[in-house]
Each structure stands twice: as structure tokens, then as C-alpha cells.
Amino acid sequence: MISRLHIGIFGKVNSGKSTLLNALTSQEAALVSSEKGTTTDPVYKAMEISGIGPVVFIDTAGYDDDSNLGILRIEKTKDAAKKADMAIVMFSDTDIEKGISWIAALKEQNAKIIVVVNDMENNNAAEIASKLKLKLNEQIIIANALKKQNIEEVREALIKNAPSDEEIDITGNLVSENSLVMLVMPQDIQAPKGRLILPQVQTIRELLDKKCVVVSCGTDKIDETLAVLSRAPDLIICDSQAFKIASGKKPKESKLTSFSVLFAAYKGDMETFLNGAKAIGNLTKDSHVLIAEACTHAPLSEDIGRVKIPNLLKQKFGNLSVTIVSGMDFPKDLSKYNLIIHCGACMFNRKYVLSRIEQAKRQSIPITNYGIAIAHLQGVEVTQTHSS
């Protein structure tokens, strides 16, 4: 299954980033103005590019924003850079050093770089390109975003430099054609009315693409579903909160895992998460745990990250301290935490999750995932690893 490639557009204030985004998408996706600092928070625009497939463009605030809110805006731009699989870095004047430093930082995060000189009136684009050629090995494209000149060359450079698809999928080698897969999907108050949550939808689609036989049920219909099947499921995938129930009812020959465990490998680093789970055994009533959730929904009484996991931890270790963050909030300094438990990250791309894992590793803080943590806390043995 292919996740949307994230393409960030970076540059100084009024360098033409939003205009380029509008030209590339052939839509008024971003507000354009001669006023400095028009783009404040990053603008995300999903679309399809022929030759690449589904992408998300990220239009960012200028990295030289000197307004009162400039520091905060630049922090948002740095966060967007962590998500960027590819980066278009725009130049519009001969002061190129800050842009070059951003290119170096983006390369450290393994982003593919496209360098664009915006050929604006009286800015001597050829001179800017000449200076850049002395400093960079990348192809340099001179384009006029406003007049939409050479935009096709930028699009072709994106196609040419797009990271190769590593074919990372959700279920890996746990299934093959004609595998019988049973999905246990409790529809509690967290579930959106009339819809399934994203990990369930993505998993079902992948299983259908792999030509598996897929059956679904709620937690209260496991026995009835197993009874009507002609054979035991090859694999049972459940919501992490249904681990204990599904484990007690599953046929001995059926493998068991959860959506969250599968997403630990699909969106993150399974080995790091498994090692991180070992730190659960070292927790005490004096420990401090950080729970990080990608979603920003309001807390609910059955919420897995805000309610159920903290309760499991406190039942086992006493009234330890738990801090919960959501969305893009994630502390820069992790030193006070003994463990980080991250959600399945269905709302983040893999590159952003890996950046958080790398941050935890740099600060020597163990990090694990919701599903792996719940299985560990409940003593449930699940199929935890798979390969693409």
C-alpha cells in the first residue's frame, strides 16, 4: 500500500512558494499576496501527480520571517520539514546562504531536494542560479511561478527524483492469496458514526488487493463468526483493546495481531518499538510516561490513549505520572520521561513517525506503540513482526 508522498515547499518570505503551489496544482490552493508573511501555518494540499501518484504538498511560512510571530512560524516550518519526503527549496534573491543551510538540514532528514529559482521581475534569476551552482550539486531550475513558465520542468523533476516505493505494506507476509482473515472491530463511542476508522479501512483495502478472504465482526460476535466459518482463520486482526477477548476465543492455529501492531511496522520501526516495550517492566509509581497521539479529537470515556492505557499502567504500577500530547505537539526535551507510548499514527506519514523515533533515540528514551504496549501489559502473545 502506498502512502501519500509529502512534498514540502520551502523558501524565504515572498519568494513565490504559494504561487508555485498554485501553479503545480492548477488550483488556488494557497492564498497569495504581496504582503509579507501571508502563509503562517503550513498549508496541506492533497492531489495526484501522474508518474508519482498520491501526494501531499506542504506550503510553509518563510524561513526568514522576522515578524513578531516569526519564531513560532519557523518552528511550524521545521515540523513540516520532518514530514517532507521531498523538498522544493525556492530562491528569489542573491542572498542564498540561509537557503543552502536549509537544504543541508533537509538532506540530513533524507529528503530529496529540488532547487527552484523563481524568475521574478528584476531579481536577476540567472545570477542567483550561477551562485547556487557553485555551492550545490543539485539540478537548478529557473521558473516563473506567477507566469507558470517552466512549471512542467519542476513537475518532471519531482517525478524523476521521487523516492522509490519500498513496497512497505500493512500485513506483509502474514497473508497471501486466499488467506482467511477475520477482523474484530469493536464499534465503541470513539468510532465515527457510519464509518470505520482509517487503519481498518486501509487494512481491508490491502487484504482485498492481496485477494484474501475477509470477514468482519464486532467483539460481541466472535463466537458466532467463528462458528459459521468452514475453517479457522489464518489471521485474526483486532483492535488493541480487544486483545484479551480475542486471545481467549481464537482457534489455536490462528495467528493474532492488532491494527496498531501492524501499523507499528507500517508507519514506524518495529524493532525499536519492541525494545521500547521492555522498559514497561522497569516502571514504578515514580515513573513518568508520555503518551503521544496523532489525532486531536476531544477526550472520550472509552478513549484508548487518554483513558484505557493510563488506567492499565496505574493498575500495574500505581499512580505514576502520565502526560498526554496530541496532534503535532511533541516535547523537544524528552529527558523527564521513562517511556514514550505512541499511537498507530494513521494520521501521520511514516517519515514523521520515524523523526519522532529518532528524537527519542538521540535522547535515550525508550519508545513503543499502543498495540505493543497493551499486549505487553495484558500478557497477550501476538504476532508482532512481519516483512514486506
Side-chain angles (χ1 to χ4, degrees):
M1 180 175 289
I2 301 172
S3 295
R4 286 186 180 270
L5 196 70
H6 283 53
I7 304 171
I9 305 178
F10 303 88
K12 288 185 175 182
V13 170
N14 281 18
S15 60
K17 301 182 298 296
S18 298
T19 306
L20 178 65
L21 172 61
N22 291 343
L24 285 167
T25 61
S26 299
Q27 300 174 32
E28 296 301 310
L31 180 64
V32 174
S33 170
S34 58
E35 287 288 325
K36 288 184 66 174
T38 301
T39 302
T40 53
D41 288 338
V43 174
Y44 293 79
K45 176 63 180 177
M47 67 171 297
E48 299 264 342
I49 295 181
S50 177
I52 296 180
V55 303
V56 175
F57 279 106
I58 313 171
D59 183 23
T60 65
Y63 49 57
D64 63 330
D65 191 337
D66 58 2
S67 68
N68 290 335
L69 294 174
I71 294 175
L72 294 176
R73 290 171 176 172
I74 291 170
E75 287 302 312
K76 293 285 189 181
T77 298
K78 288 179 179 178
D79 273 340
K82 295 174 183 176
K83 296 182 177 181
D85 301 292
M86 303 185 73
I88 299 173
V89 183
M90 295 196 69
F91 292 85
S92 58
D93 60 44
T94 54
D95 182 11
I96 62 173
E97 293 307 317
K98 185 165 285 189
I100 288 174
S101 68
W102 270 78
I103 288 174
L106 286 159
K107 282 184 173 181
E108 285 182 4
Q109 297 180 39
N110 298 316
K112 300 280 188 176
I113 307 296
I114 309 295
V115 179
V116 175
V117 176
N118 195 9
D119 188 7
M120 303 163 73
E121 188 176 357
N122 300 322
N123 77 335
N124 199 350
E127 181 185 349
I128 299 168
S130 180
K131 289 186 70 172
L132 288 168
K133 285 177 182 176
L134 296 175
K135 301 273 189 176
L136 302 170
N137 292 323
E138 277 75 26
Q139 174 191 5
I140 298 166
I141 302 169
I142 297 178
N144 187 307
L146 184 61
K147 296 180 181 179
K148 299 184 180 180
Q149 294 173 347
N150 283 356
I151 298 302
E152 193 56 38
E153 190 174 347
V154 177
R155 189 177 285 110
E156 289 172 0
L158 289 171
I159 295 170
K160 178 181 177 182
N161 291 280
S164 59
D165 179 19
E166 298 176 354
E167 293 297 333
I168 296 174
D169 61 20
I170 298 169
T171 55
N173 65 0
L174 294 180
V175 299
S176 56
E177 186 172 349
N178 295 323
S179 290
L180 177 58
V181 183
M182 178 173 160
L183 307 180
V184 181
M185 304 185 297
Q187 299 305 298
D188 56 26
I189 63 173
Q190 294 182 84
K193 187 175 181 179
R195 293 182 289 124
L196 300 174
I197 61 173
L198 186 58
Q200 295 169 350
V201 173
Q202 290 180 313
T203 303
I204 291 170
R205 175 55 196 263
E206 181 178 293
L207 291 170
L208 294 175
D209 287 343
K210 290 185 171 184
K211 301 188 183 304
C212 296
V213 178
V214 184
V215 295
S216 304
C217 68
T219 312
D220 58 339
K221 294 295 181 182
I222 295 176
D223 291 331
E224 290 85 347
T225 305
L226 288 171
V228 300
L229 297 176
S230 61
R231 60 184 173 93
D234 299 294
L235 177 67
I236 297 174
I237 306 173
C238 66
D239 190 283
S240 294
Q241 59 188 310
F243 263 151
K244 206 131 193 168
I245 297 172
S247 177
K249 293 178 177 291
K250 81 173 189 69
K252 185 177 180 180
E253 59 267 43
S254 298
K255 293 176 287 188
L256 173 67
T257 191
S258 79
F259 295 101
S260 184
V261 170
L262 293 176
F263 270 64
Y266 179 54
K267 288 293 184 76
D269 181 335
M270 177 65 83
E271 183 177 355
T272 297
F273 285 152
L274 290 172
N275 285 332
K278 296 175 184 177
I280 293 174
N282 299 324
L283 297 177
T284 70
K285 62 181 179 58
D286 298 317
S287 297
H288 196 165
V289 176
L290 175 67
I291 295 179
E293 187 165 274
C295 299
T296 56
H297 59 263
L300 301 170
S301 61
E302 299 179 22
D303 193 280
I304 189 168
R306 295 172 173 89
V307 178
K308 293 187 176 181
I309 292 177
N311 286 345
L312 284 171
L313 290 168
K314 290 178 180 181
Q315 287 167 15
K316 191 172 183 68
F317 302 107
N319 197 30
L320 77 179
S321 179
V322 176
T323 296
I324 300 168
V325 296
S326 60
M328 298 288 288
D329 294 336
F330 195 73
K332 287 184 172 57
D333 182 3
L334 301 170
S335 59
K336 70 178 181 180
Y337 302 108
N338 302 98
L339 175 67
I340 302 166
I341 304 177
H342 205 291
C343 72
C346 60
M347 302 306 294
F348 290 157
N349 69 331
R350 187 167 191 261
K351 190 170 187 296
Y352 189 57
V353 178
L354 291 175
S355 75
R356 287 188 169 185
I357 292 172
E358 185 57 35
Q359 181 184 340
K361 283 182 174 180
R362 285 197 305 269
Q363 298 184 43
S364 301
I365 308 299
I367 182 170
T368 191
N369 154 283
Y370 277 17
I372 295 170
I374 291 172
H376 195 284
L377 285 164
Q378 294 184 334
V380 176
E381 184 177 345
V382 298
T383 304
Q384 295 178 324
T385 58
H386 69 282
S387 59
S388 58

